[in-house]
Amino acid sequence: MSHADTLSQTLTLPCGVTLPNRFGKSAMSEALGTIDNHVTPKLERLYARWAKGGTGLNITGNIMIDRRHTGEPNNVVVEDERDMPLLKRWAEAGKSQGGAIWVQLNHPGKQIPRMLASGDTLSPSAVPFGKELKSAFKTPRALTEEEIQDIIQRFARTASICKKAGFTGVQIHGAHGYLVSQFLSGHHNRRTDQWGGSLENRMRFPLEIYRAIRKEVGEGYPVSIKLNSADFQRGGFSEEESMTVAKTLADEGLDLLEISGGNYENPVMAGAKGVRESTVNREAYFLDYANEIRKRVSVPLMVTGGFRSAKAMAEAVNSGATDVIGIARPLAVEPDLPNAIQAGREGVVSRVTPRKTGIKAIDEMAMMEVSWYTRQLHRMGAGKEPKPNESVLLALFKVIATMGVGSFKTRRLRANI
Ligand SMILES: Cc1cc2nc3c(=O)[nH]c(=O)nc-3n(C[C@H](O)[C@H](O)[C@H](O)COP(=O)(O)O)c2cc1C
């Protein structure tokens, strides 16, 4: 079978929904909401562009479930039906070529930059960041039982509004150090009640979120989670624990498990550090883990991080390591990649090089990478094509300026609410 044939196969999920091919656009935060976190038509344009490029499954950048807690300025927040008309147009654009569009649901927990946080940041426990990031993020306050229950219901409510708007699935963001992954980690979660301690207790939070969402959206609707294979932190979430969480959610009826890894303190999801060169060259940072999980769990898998060539993508599907190829950065530069591969383009189809400033603290936060790719999303949102030779420093400058002004305006806005 050619690479194109392999990757053009459909995939039927446990809920009965069929994806048209094996290309999954992994979530990339667009920061294309308004300053008060409403949907804009730019999102509609961006997702129409990706749909046109042939991606079978489009997962949106993280949408926040609580207006008081956003990870960046201009995140979209969905807590009520105020944005229903624009949400509908966004969903429609995503499915315009017959593909799926799923919403990624998130709560940042303590991963809110200090300059954006207007009040307390929240986490399972009041564990500060390590010394490198301590100045950029507040030490969080531990959540109360009541707040935990409220957040679980918020995930479910946002899922239900998105379903009503026409999005064809949802994904819980359980990776990269945000609130769900803070609960899972023995380092960040030091609670002694039903939400902390044993793995059974630490995974109660994602499990209850999953159940609450499922109750709202029903059996025939795709529900996914993006989970870290590990967070690569001492005392943190291990691969063994991750597999137990995956198995538990799969037994509950999960439709797709997306595998990633890392957090702000150790951003291996972007290959920034901690990923061996041999792994980067082989593509797919988390394939070993995927092979292991395959032996234990039968849930469909989407492995994300590092895929750059049609050959590596097709081999990963043929070997049975993954069902869907998760792709983020290449699609910010080459939105037509899935169509190009399906039309028979072989070899290295996308070579995304790490973009660095040389300033250690910035590079290690993967800030450079994120800024540059965010700029490409903004171009597509404005109806332009990506610009692969865009200046790295200019992109960083523009994104930092936008973040700085955006954070100031967000804080001022919240102070007036
Ligand atoms: C600009 C940008 C924004 C991102 N935003 C999110 C996000 O909102 N949610 C998420 O789960 N991952 C996010 N990621 C991580 C990607 O989904 C993906 O896991 C990572 O980039 C590795 O995949 P890649 O090698 O194909 O880029 C983001 C990555 C980039 C570059």
Side-chain angles (χ1 to χ4, degrees):
M1 211 194 268
S2 69
H3 298 340
D5 288 343
T6 299
L7 297 165
S8 303
Q9 294 172 95
T10 59
L11 177 74
T12 301
L13 303 172
C15 65
V17 165
T18 298
L19 302 176
N21 60 41
R22 303 307 181 94
F23 297 98
K25 186 199 76 71
S26 191
M28 275 184 283
S29 188
E30 307 88 3
L32 283 176
T34 62
I35 202 68
D36 51 353
N37 311 106
H38 292 287
V39 183
T40 66
K42 291 177 183 166
L43 288 157
E44 182 188 346
R45 274 200 289 275
L46 175 59
Y47 280 80
R49 182 67 190 86
W50 274 321
K52 197 173 140 225
T55 309
L57 168 61
N58 274 294
I59 301 178
T60 70
N62 57 181
I63 279 185
M64 299 295 163
I65 56 154
D66 187 331
R67 199 164 291 286
R68 297 163 299 179
H69 299 272
T70 55
E72 301 150 277
N74 304 96
N75 276 149
V76 168
V77 176
V78 176
E79 322 175 293
D80 52 40
E81 297 192 11
R82 259 184 287 180
D83 283 340
M84 191 52 86
L86 280 168
L87 277 172
K88 280 186 174 165
R89 283 170 52 185
W90 180 5
E92 209 46 58
K95 22 181 212 189
S96 56
Q97 308 295 321
I101 177 161
W102 297 2
V103 168
Q104 187 185 59
L105 309 169
N106 196 19
H107 186 302
K110 65 179 165 186
Q111 281 192 165
I112 303 178
R114 189 184 286 274
M115 64 179 180
L116 180 64
S118 41
D120 286 342
T121 58
L122 304 172
S123 193
S125 308
V127 176
F129 279 81
K131 62 178 186 326
E132 281 183 6
L133 295 185
K134 223 172 165 175
S135 57
F137 295 90
K138 290 180 171 177
T139 297
R141 169 172 73 68
L143 284 156
T144 64
E145 172 72 29
E146 205 182 12
E147 286 169 331
I148 293 173
Q149 297 294 351
D150 174 61
I151 292 171
I152 292 169
Q153 290 317 313
R154 281 173 176 274
F155 269 94
R157 170 140 183 79
T158 304
S160 140
I161 296 167
C162 292
K163 182 182 177 197
K164 188 171 171 190
F167 289 91
T168 56
V170 290
Q171 180 180 69
I172 302 162
H173 195 347
H176 304 171
Y178 296 104
L179 186 61
V180 170
S181 102
Q182 287 160 33
F183 266 92
L184 289 170
S185 157
H187 168 74
H188 296 287
N189 181 352
R190 312 268 173 94
R191 297 180 79 93
T192 52
D193 59 6
Q194 60 161 337
W195 305 101
S198 64
L199 178 61
E200 192 187 347
N201 281 353
R202 279 181 278 131
M203 75 168 128
R204 196 181 304 283
F205 186 62
L207 192 60
E208 290 303 323
I209 290 173
Y210 172 81
R211 288 177 176 156
I213 291 177
R214 183 58 86 195
K215 203 167 149 210
E216 280 293 327
V217 299
E219 294 300 322
Y221 191 78
V223 181
S224 164
I225 190 166
K226 185 167 183 174
L227 197 63
N228 275 355
S229 56
D231 54 21
F232 306 95
Q233 239 179 343
R234 195 187 299 273
F237 189 50
S238 70
E239 287 198 357
E240 200 50 45
E241 290 181 333
S242 172
M243 290 194 204
T244 306
V245 174
K247 168 122 185 48
T248 307
L249 288 168
D251 290 346
E252 292 272 327
L254 188 76
D255 288 292
L256 184 76
L257 172 67
E258 183 181 350
I259 298 166
S260 188
N263 54 32
Y264 280 13
E265 291 179 287
N266 200 2
V268 292
M269 60 281 201
K273 64 174 184 176
V275 177
R276 282 195 303 267
E277 198 165 341
S278 57
T279 309
V280 174
N281 290 338
R282 192 193 61 192
E283 303 187 18
Y285 315 142
F286 307 111
L287 222 48
D288 291 341
Y289 170 89
N291 276 315
E292 227 11 75
I293 208 162
R294 204 39 136 196
K295 296 179 195 156
R296 310 192 197 181
V297 186
S298 64
V299 66
L301 298 180
M302 167 161 153
V303 177
T304 298
F307 279 113
R308 298 295 177 263
S309 71
K311 182 168 176 280
M313 294 175 196
E315 275 171 6
V317 171
N318 282 332
S319 72
T322 188
D323 299 292
V324 178
I325 303 294
I327 316 172
R329 286 165 292 176
L331 286 171
V333 190
E334 270 194 86
D336 293 320
L337 193 59
N339 275 345
I341 294 177
Q342 290 182 98
R345 195 165 130 203
E346 301 281 340
V348 175
V349 289
S350 180
R351 183 54 74 191
V352 183
T353 50
R355 293 164 200 283
K356 309 266 182 227
T357 54
I359 305 164
K360 192 166 173 265
I362 292 176
D363 291 341
E364 291 197 347
M365 274 180 75
M367 177 102 181
M368 192 73 238
E369 293 261 325
V370 171
S371 306
W372 191 86
Y373 290 101
T374 305
R375 284 278 303 153
Q376 306 300 328
L377 307 189
H378 287 193
R379 288 183 64 85
M380 288 191 272
K384 299 178 195 158
E385 283 299 293
K387 191 176 173 190
N389 62 354
E390 165 118 64
S391 153
V392 172
L393 274 173
L394 184 71
L396 181 68
F397 174 75
K398 283 193 175 163
V399 171
I400 287 180
T402 313
M403 285 259 314
V405 174
S407 299
F408 171 74
K409 284 186 179 166
T410 305
R411 277 206 321 270
R412 200 176 53 182
L413 201 80
R414 285 185 192 151
N416 292 334
I417 288 176

